[in-house]
Amino acid sequence: MKPTTWPYGEFYQRNRAQHPPALTPAYKTSVLRSPQKSLISLQNSLSEITGPVFSHDELGPLDNDLIMNYAKEGLPVGERIIVHGYVWDENARPVRNALVEVWQANAGGRYRHKKDTYIAPIDPNFGGCGRTITDDTGAYAFRTIKPGAYPFRNYVNSWRPAHIHFSLFGSGFAQRLITQMYFEGDPLIPHDQIIATIPDPAAIQRLVAPLDLNAALPLDSLAYRFDIVLRGRRQTWFENKPQGS
Ligand SMILES: [Fe+2]
């Protein structure tokens, strides 16, 4: 019988119908990165489960403003957008004080990273990283430049659709979840071999943020809404999730 007090279990079993197999040869990188041997289950240590705890006063005033947090001599180039949404658990309860970190390419599709050698230029006024913490309703928001698509070495003309990488921390490092958000209407989404590793079309759709004109700032920024559900049938698909759905 299921215990009634929380926590009643350390792991949720992974839903294999939603999560891609580790080895998905159409995404060539997965061939070398997928495990060659059966996995070992590890017990979480107490420090992994209990720490750290994040609070709002640990963030700087521009941490959730990617338009301004790296600007030096001017504003970054590109389409100004707001991304906002809620973080919910499987029972649609808000997940409070979750640290939400984001990183992305600039408007030309180039990351500020020494290993990114794509021809698109670095934007001197755009860093591409930010973070925020959910409030008591589970809501989060940040402002940024819409990232550009970029090519990668998979097949000829393999391009990543425009996307923003997300990392979420709950109340412990062992709970880190990582995923990517895509933009409604992007024609590259059906061609992306990384997205195609997700077997459930509905799970793919939940990674696509719809345009949200109600949250747009007139004459300033468009907005996209990206809600994140941690578990259950409507969960967001996380690329690293060890504890199922
Ligand atoms: Fe990326």
Side-chain angles (χ1 to χ4, degrees):
M1 199 177 107
K2 205 174 185 179
T4 51
T5 52
W6 190 89
Y8 44 75
E10 196 172 19
F11 293 108
Y12 283 67
Q13 188 172 338
R14 176 174 291 201
N15 181 343
R16 298 285 171 186
Q18 286 195 345
H19 289 260
L23 176 61
T24 46
Y27 172 27
K28 289 185 179 177
T29 307
S30 76
V31 175
L32 284 177
R33 288 187 180 171
S34 55
Q36 305 295 307
K37 297 179 179 167
S38 57
L39 303 181
I40 301 169
S41 292
L42 293 175
Q43 203 80 16
N44 283 336
S45 69
L46 189 63
S47 58
E48 286 171 325
I49 296 169
T50 56
V53 176
F54 301 103
S55 64
H56 290 265
D57 56 11
E58 289 170 272
L59 299 191
L62 294 180
D63 279 8
N64 70 340
D65 186 355
L66 283 72
I67 291 180
M68 294 305 296
N69 70 8
Y70 207 88
K72 293 182 174 59
E73 290 154 2
L75 294 170
V77 173
E79 188 179 328
R80 297 159 64 89
I81 60 168
I82 295 162
V83 177
H84 76 118
Y86 292 87
V87 181
W88 288 310
D89 71 9
E90 71 272 38
N91 295 314
R93 291 175 301 205
V95 179
R96 302 181 175 91
N97 296 324
L99 179 68
V100 178
E101 298 172 295
V102 293
W103 63 100
Q104 62 167 91
N106 67 23
R110 174 90 180 258
Y111 285 97
R112 182 176 286 281
H113 190 280
K114 63 184 176 195
K115 287 198 170 168
D116 189 340
T117 56
Y118 179 41
I119 192 171
I122 294 279
D123 184 338
N125 293 306
F126 190 71
C129 299
R131 59 183 184 166
T132 185
I133 292 181
T134 57
D135 66 14
D136 278 349
T137 66
Y140 75 91
F142 60 93
R143 186 168 79 147
T144 188
I145 295 294
K146 189 175 181 185
Y150 58 81
F152 72 114
R153 294 183 190 281
N154 196 58
Y155 295 111
V156 176
N157 286 327
S158 288
W159 283 68
R160 296 303 331 280
H163 61 278
I164 299 177
H165 296 267
F166 275 68
S167 160
L168 279 88
F169 279 108
S171 57
F173 276 127
Q175 298 170 354
R176 190 182 188 203
L177 299 170
I178 298 171
T179 192
Q180 296 178 36
M181 182 203 105
Y182 302 92
F183 293 86
E184 176 186 1
D186 190 329
L188 289 171
I189 290 173
H191 300 283
D192 183 66
Q193 283 98 13
I194 295 180
I195 296 176
T197 62
I198 304 172
D200 180 1
I204 293 174
Q205 209 49 46
R206 289 195 291 274
L207 298 180
V208 181
L211 180 69
D212 183 4
L213 286 177
N214 287 327
L217 275 181
L219 302 177
D220 184 319
S221 305
L222 285 174
Y224 289 85
R225 168 86 177 254
F226 184 50
D227 295 328
I228 298 168
V229 182
L230 299 185
R231 288 182 293 269
R233 282 188 304 127
R234 295 179 187 277
Q235 79 155 73
T236 304
W237 179 78
F238 295 102
E239 57 199 55
N240 71 323
K241 194 168 187 181
Q243 67 273 48
S245 57

